[in-house]
Structure formats: C-alpha cells, structure tokens
C-alpha cells in the first residue's frame, strides 16, 4: 500500500500541475475545446489511444472476452489497431480536419448541422450525445472497483470514485483540451510500460508463454473441446467477429474519438499520428486482450459456477494480478487510473462542449461571448463528472442506467458512423438519410435495452445489436439518399470546396505536371 500511495501522490501532482500549466491555452472556445487546432502528432495520437482504451477494456472486456474466447481474444486488439486506429486515421483524419475547419465546427453535432444546413440535426445529435455519453462515462469507474479493493482492503470504494472525479474536474476545467492531451500522453506512457510489465509477470506465474499456452490447451470447460481456448479463432468465432467489429469500427462514429482529428496541426502530423496511434493500440489493446486470454489458467483461484467465473467477469483480471509484487500492484493501479481518467476527461469535454455550443448557445442563450461559453463548459464539466460519479457509487440501485452503459457505444456509433463517413465523402448524402440513421441507430439500441427478450437470440446481446446498428446505418444512408431528393447543390459544393483548394508541395511529394 505504501508503494501504491506514493506513486499515486506523484501521479496526481503531475496531473494537476499540467492542468494549471495549460490554463493560458484555454481562454477561448477554440483553445479550450480543440487546443487551437495546433496539437502535434504525439499528443493527438496518445489522446486518441487513451480515450479509446479505458479501465473498461483492461478489467471488464479483457476479462470477459478472454474467458469466453481464450487466446483468440487477441484478435479484438488487432482489430482495434488496424480498423479502429490505422484505418480511422487514414480514412477520416485528413478529411475531418479539413471540412471541420472549413465549416467552423468544433463538435460532431455542429458538423452535422453545418454540413447538411440543418439546426434540427445539430440539436438531435446533441441530445443523443448527452443521453448516451453520461452512462458511458459512469461505466469507467466500474473497472476500478475490484482493483481498488485489492490494493486498499477495507477502504470504501466511494473514495476512489470521488478522488478520480475531483482530479479530472480540476485539470480539465483548468486547461481544457491541451491539458487533457498532455496528460493523455503521460498516462499513455504509463499504460504502455505497465501492460508490458504485467503480461511478463503474469505469464511467468505459469512457466512462461509456451507453458501457459500449453496449459490453456488442456482446459475443458463449458463443453468446449480441449484446445478450443488456445485455437486460432477460439470456441465462438461468430461472436468474436461481432466484438471485433463493434469495438473497432465503432470508433469511427464516437464523438470523443472523431473530435481528436479536429485538432491536428498539419499534414505531416497526420502521417506520424497514424503510425503512433496504431503502435499504441497494438501494445495496449493487443496486450490487454492477450493477457485476458489466459484467465482460465487461474480458474482454481477465481472459482467457476455453471461455467462462469465466481464474482463475474470483472473478477478475472484482478484475481490474475493479486499475487504480483507490491511495486507491480502499484503500477496496475496507476495504469487503471490513467486509462480511466484519460477517457473520462475526453468524454466530459465532448459532453460539455456539445451541450454548450450546440444546445445552449443560440437556442437557450441567444448571445454568448467566448468567455461565457468557456465558463459554461467548465461548469458543465463539473456537473457531468458529478453525475457520473453518483451513478458509479449507486450503480446497484440504478439498474436501468447500468443496462444503458452496455448499449451506449452501439447507440452512438450506430447513429453517427454512417452519416459522418458519407458526409465527408459522398455529395449525394441527404438530410433525410441522416435522420433515418439517427432514428435507427439510437432506436434499435434503446429497444434492445427495454424489450431485449423480443429480439432474435443472436441480437439480444447489446454487442451484436450494436454491430447491426452500425452496419444497418450504412445501408440506410445509401438507400435513403438514393430515393430522396438530391441535396442543395450550393450547400454541398460549399462544404466540399475545402478539398479543392490548391496547395504547394515539395518535389519529393509529387512529380508535378512536367
């Protein structure tokens, strides 16, 4: 405990120091929300990665899918790296940066409002973001509970929630996006070093990688044949595919992820950021799921009832780590705090900026100065963090909201992914198709929460239903756009004109007309 407390004090001090240092960069809306659109590749890439991978991934998802799929769960991390990071940067990065600056949009709802010339779309998108980001934010605390109990036995978990909430409030309200980006970089370094050290330590408990893999081949649980949990695609390849799609492709439609592209400084930063972000995802996501894949080797310590781990899936990873040295336990706590705080800061910044710029400004309050907008965003950050902390502390009493946590990712990505992607690339995309995607994506996930038993068996899982929401949205946007009247040519040409601006590049980038 002494090691853990000492490292936490240093970690918290650095976090607060960065927030106070960045106050000078957060005096206006652009600086507070986007860092003045001048954030370099390392900060942007780490901000993207740390917002992507939270304690939910490290504790919940790694434990659950590692237990279900075995070593094949590593495919989830690979998919996160290739589709969720590499392709996201290549396909969305440059165009998002160009069109968002051209349209003067700082949030995803504002992008929809200006790209399709529809204030109503902006308001609808803002409502969807507000409804589904809050429970998602609250879920970040859950991954800390078991690890906190392991590191601080006898200490009320509520203190952990309060400390994390207060610290996040302080540095985000003080320094805005730039403070978040710098802290994400520091927290990302901790995550990279921590996951490598933890994997090595855990595998050594079972004689190293080869012996651990051989041990996994002997597992005979849930009626699966021996060797299923160390096979290439595991015992449930179809369900594994659904998880890969949701957690990888889903990032393309999440406001807190896409918003990172708004702040990129230059062209070369996109290229560097793509590489850095992909490597980060391979190590962190790949490492988390790879580690979780060996969870069944600890069945004697975890306990198994009806094929499920005693205490639930969230108990798998903490049990695997509880015999580590005090220093490594401290590293684990810092790692999970880093993962949770980085994602939490990204979510509350996205929520507060969306509510302020897209709902309150111009609708509730007609005339708002830049100073007043920043003030309201800071106040809302405190409100959002307080609400999420309350939900986390009282999660057992708020079962309906707890259910919503599991579907928030699917609802956001299902509603936004297709309209955003086609809005960047396809001039034929119509306003009606965007409305259809909003209604279908959010609607099917809410229905999954309220009347789940009425869904076909394969779609009763929020993960599988989320994949249908995303892929269905792509089909809906295409079909509805083709059967509805073409959008106003002047509006479309104005939005896409940013891609036609001439720029001068060196000969090593282009041979030129000669």
């Amino acid at each position: 405990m002494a090691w853990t407390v000492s490292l936490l004090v240093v970690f918290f001090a650095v976090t607060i120091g960065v927030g106070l240092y960045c106050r000078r960069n957060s005096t206006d809306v652009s600086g507070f929300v986007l860092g003045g659109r001048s954030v370099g590749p390392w900060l942007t890439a780490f901000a993207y990665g740390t917002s992507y991978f939270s304690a939910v991934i490290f504790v919940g998802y790694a434990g659950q899918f590692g237990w279900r799929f075995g070593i094949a769960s590593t495919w989830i991390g690979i998919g996160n790296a290739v589709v969720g990071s590499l392709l996201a940067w290549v396909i969305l990065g440059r165009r998002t940066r160009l069109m968002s600056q051209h349209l003067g949009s700082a949030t995803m709802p504002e992008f929809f409002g200006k790209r399709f010339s529809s204030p109503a779309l902006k308001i609808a998108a803002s409502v969807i973001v507000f409804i589904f980001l809050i429970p998602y934010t609250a879920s970040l605390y859950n991954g800390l509970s078991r690890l906190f109990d392991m590191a601080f036995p006898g200490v009320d978990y509520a203190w952990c929630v309060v400390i994390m909430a207060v610290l996040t409030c302080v540095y985000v309200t003080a320094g805005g996006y730039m403070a978040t980006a710098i802290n994400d970089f520091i927290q990302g370094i901790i995550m990279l070093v921590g996951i490598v050290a933890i994997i090595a330590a855990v595998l050594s408990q079972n004689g190293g990688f080869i012996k651990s893999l051989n041990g996994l081949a002997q597992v005979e649980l849930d009626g699966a044949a021996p060797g299923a949990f160390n096979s290439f695609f595991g015992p449930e390849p179809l369900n594994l595919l659904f998880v890969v799609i949701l957690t990888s492709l889903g990032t393309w439609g999440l406001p807190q992820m896409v918003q990172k592209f708004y702040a990129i400084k230059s062209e070369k930063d996109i290229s560097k950021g793509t590489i850095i972000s992909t490597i980060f995802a391979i190590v962190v996501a790949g490492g988390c799921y790879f580690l979780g894949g060996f969870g069944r080797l600890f069945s004697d310590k975890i306990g198994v009832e009806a094929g499920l781990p005693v205490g639930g899936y969230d108990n798998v990873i903490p049990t695997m780590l509880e015999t580590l040295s005090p220093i490594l336990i401290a590293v684990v706590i810092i790692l999970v705090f880093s993962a949770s705080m980085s994602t939490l800061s990204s979510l509350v910044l996205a929520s507060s900026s969306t509510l302020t710029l897209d709902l309150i400004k111009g609708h509730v309050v007609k005339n708002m100065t830049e100073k007043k907008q920043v003030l309201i965003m800071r106040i809302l950050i405190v409100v959002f963090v307080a609400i999420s902390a309350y939900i986390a502390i009282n999660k057992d009493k708020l079962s309906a909201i707890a259910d919503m946590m599991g579907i928030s990712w699917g609802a956001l990505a299902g509603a936004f992914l297709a309209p955003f992607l086609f809005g960047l690339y396809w001039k034929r995309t119509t306003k009606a198709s965007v409305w259809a995607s909003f209604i279908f994506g959010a609607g099917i996930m809410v229905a999954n929460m309220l009347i789940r038993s009425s869904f076909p068996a394969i779609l009763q899982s929020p993960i599988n239903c989320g994949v249908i929401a995303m892929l269905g949205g792509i089909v809906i946007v295409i079909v509805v756009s083709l059967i509805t009247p073409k959008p106003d040519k002047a509006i479309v040409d104005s939005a896409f004109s940013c891609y036609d601006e001439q720029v001068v590049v060196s000969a090593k980038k282009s041979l030129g007309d000669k």
Side-chain angles (χ1 to χ4, degrees):
M1 188 180 293
W3 273 105
T4 305
V5 171
S6 299
L7 290 179
L8 280 175
V9 169
V10 174
F11 172 71
F12 294 155
V14 171
T15 299
I16 298 300
V18 168
L20 297 176
Y21 172 77
C22 293
R23 288 187 65 185
R24 59 184 180 180
N25 298 315
S26 59
T27 55
D28 58 10
V29 172
S30 177
F32 190 81
V33 178
L34 301 175
R37 296 186 189 266
S38 60
V39 183
W42 284 91
L43 294 185
T44 301
F46 271 69
Y48 186 92
T50 54
S51 298
Y52 195 167
F53 310 116
S54 66
V56 176
I57 301 294
F58 182 73
V59 177
Y61 278 18
Q64 176 180 351
F65 300 130
W67 185 270
R68 289 176 56 190
F69 307 137
I71 197 67
S73 63
T74 308
W75 282 112
I76 305 172
I78 295 173
N80 292 171
V82 175
V83 179
S85 296
L86 176 62
L87 292 182
W89 277 75
V90 171
I91 294 173
L92 300 179
R94 179 183 292 103
R95 287 193 173 232
T96 299
R97 175 64 171 81
L98 286 172
M99 190 174 284
S100 64
Q101 183 175 23
H102 176 69
L103 296 176
S105 60
T107 65
M108 183 178 276
E110 191 173 19
F111 171 86
F112 288 128
K114 293 185 175 181
R115 165 65 179 83
F116 298 98
S117 188
S118 173
L121 273 180
K122 181 177 74 170
I123 294 173
S126 302
V127 172
I128 293 173
V129 170
F130 176 74
I131 290 174
F132 291 103
L133 274 190
I134 288 295
Y136 180 37
T137 303
S139 71
L140 299 176
Y141 299 94
N142 292 346
L144 285 168
S145 58
R146 299 297 177 88
L147 292 174
F148 189 82
D149 291 339
M150 178 182 68
F152 301 100
V155 179
D156 190 349
Y157 165 63
W159 284 106
C160 170
V161 173
V162 171
I163 291 171
M164 178 174 156
V166 170
L167 288 170
T168 304
C169 267
V170 170
Y171 82 77
V172 179
T173 54
Y177 182 82
M178 188 60 74
T180 299
I182 294 176
N183 273 321
D184 285 349
F185 179 76
I186 297 171
Q187 291 158 0
I189 295 294
I190 295 172
M191 292 168 67
L192 287 172
V193 175
I195 194 65
V196 172
I198 291 165
I199 290 173
V202 170
L203 292 183
S204 67
Q205 297 179 36
N206 292 283
F209 172 63
I210 299 300
K211 288 188 177 181
S212 296
L213 205 59
N214 290 336
L216 207 57
Q218 307 305 314
V219 175
E220 297 183 49
L221 291 177
D222 303 344
F229 295 108
N230 76 334
S231 62
F232 202 63
F233 292 119
E236 303 177 62
L238 181 59
N239 286 325
L240 174 62
L241 177 62
F242 274 109
V243 176
V244 171
I245 294 174
L246 181 73
T247 60
S248 302
L249 187 62
T251 60
W252 296 25
L254 297 181
Q256 74 276 13
M257 301 299 297
V258 172
Q259 197 166 346
K260 301 295 185 292
F261 299 133
Y262 288 31
I264 298 173
K265 184 177 181 180
S266 65
E267 170 67 28
K268 64 179 181 179
D269 291 345
I270 296 177
S271 301
K272 290 180 181 179
T274 302
I275 298 171
I276 297 166
S277 179
T278 304
I279 294 174
F280 184 90
I282 290 173
V283 176
V284 175
C288 285
Y289 290 112
F290 176 77
L291 175 66
F294 292 96
R296 287 183 180 267
L297 295 180
F298 296 81
S299 296
D300 56 331
K301 297 179 181 178
I302 298 170
V304 182
E305 291 182 358
L308 299 176
V310 174
Y313 292 118
D314 288 350
N315 196 37
V316 174
I317 297 296
T319 302
M320 295 173 68
L321 304 179
E322 64 185 8
T323 57
L324 298 181
S325 67
I327 295 179
L328 279 178
I329 292 292
V331 171
V332 169
I333 297 300
I334 299 296
L335 185 156
V336 178
F337 256 107
S338 298
S340 299
M341 290 177 66
S342 58
T343 307
L344 177 62
S345 62
S346 177
L347 291 173
V348 296
L349 189 58
S351 299
S352 65
S353 59
T354 294
L355 195 58
T356 302
L357 302 178
D358 303 326
L359 278 181
I360 297 176
K361 179 186 175 184
H363 300 285
V364 179
V365 181
K366 296 298 181 182
N367 297 311
M368 292 178 63
T369 62
E370 291 245 338
K371 187 175 181 181
K372 191 170 184 179
Q373 292 174 48
V374 173
L375 175 62
I376 291 177
M377 280 188 279
R378 284 180 164 136
I379 293 172
L380 287 176
I381 286 171
V382 176
V383 173
F384 288 146
V385 171
I387 293 173
S388 65
Y390 176 80
I391 294 173
I393 293 173
N394 297 277
K395 58 184 178 181
D396 296 332
K397 302 176 183 177
L398 300 170
S399 56
I401 295 179
D403 289 339
M404 193 182 292
M405 293 176 190
I407 67 170
S408 59
W409 186 300
L412 290 165
F416 297 148
L417 189 155
F420 187 75
L421 177 63
F422 285 111
L424 293 174
Y425 277 90
W426 194 28
K427 292 184 177 182
R428 186 66 173 81
T429 309
T430 64
K431 188 190 307 181
S433 72
V434 179
W435 277 113
S437 181
F438 283 6
I439 295 170
F440 175 75
I444 192 173
M445 296 309 296
V446 171
N448 180 269
M449 180 182 67
L450 298 177
I451 52 172
R452 185 167 298 163
S453 60
S454 300
F455 279 65
I458 194 172
L459 295 184
Q460 289 184 12
S461 162
I463 291 174
N464 296 357
C465 192
V467 172
I468 297 302
M470 290 191 302
L471 299 183
I474 293 175
V475 175
I476 286 172
V477 168
I478 294 174
V479 172
V480 175
S481 292
L482 292 176
I483 64 176
T484 52
K486 291 183 179 181
D488 186 277
K489 188 175 185 300
I491 294 175
V492 174
D493 289 344
S494 174
F496 278 78
S497 64
C498 59
Y499 299 150
D500 299 324
E501 293 181 9
Q502 299 296 310
V503 296
V504 179
V505 299
S506 61
K508 65 182 179 181
K509 295 290 185 182
S510 173
L511 294 176
D513 294 334
K514 295 180 182 180

